[in-house]
Amino acid sequence: MADFSNDTSLWATRALGASAGAAVSLIYLLPKSRREAASRFFTGLSCGLIFGGPTGIWIAERLDLVDRLSVSEVMLSGSAASSLCAWWGLGILQRIAGRYGARNR
């Protein structure tokens, strides 16, 4: 398996994937406010940076692409997927909390 060291290019790839995942998810479901957009973007960015490596490895192994993808491709896809999933999860939770929180007031 690939060695994910503290290489600067891998961190740049990780950041690029996380940013891309967060940006793409903004297009799918537009936020209602700037605050919502910023919080989901930065949550997606941080989750992509933190969980990008393990998610990329998991995806590559599940799709049987370990031998066909480079380390950068695994990191980029994993970071983008982690970021996208985190953004959607936070967006859904925020909308649910807003809907039910308004009823209790």
Side-chain angles (χ1 to χ4, degrees):
M1 194 64 214
D3 176 31
F4 292 127
S5 62
N6 287 329
D7 189 15
T8 305
S9 65
L10 283 181
W11 278 103
T13 304
R14 208 180 260 191
L16 180 65
S19 298
V24 166
S25 56
L26 284 172
I27 296 169
Y28 284 129
L29 182 63
L30 294 175
K32 292 184 176 182
S33 68
R34 289 181 186 174
R35 182 177 179 200
E36 181 183 352
S39 69
R40 287 192 284 177
F41 182 81
F42 286 116
T43 299
L45 185 65
S46 61
C47 286
L49 289 172
I50 294 167
F51 300 113
T55 304
I57 292 169
W58 183 79
I59 291 171
E61 287 178 352
R62 285 294 207 187
L63 297 176
D64 197 25
L65 296 172
V66 175
D67 299 334
R68 297 182 187 133
L69 296 177
S70 69
V71 174
S72 295
E73 291 170 327
V74 170
M75 188 66 72
L76 184 69
S77 63
S79 294
S82 296
S83 178
L84 186 66
C85 290
W87 191 92
W88 275 98
L90 183 62
I92 289 169
L93 288 175
Q94 189 169 9
R95 298 258 168 113
I96 290 171
R99 183 174 300 149
Y100 293 112
R103 291 182 185 173
N104 294 332
R105 290 184 187 169

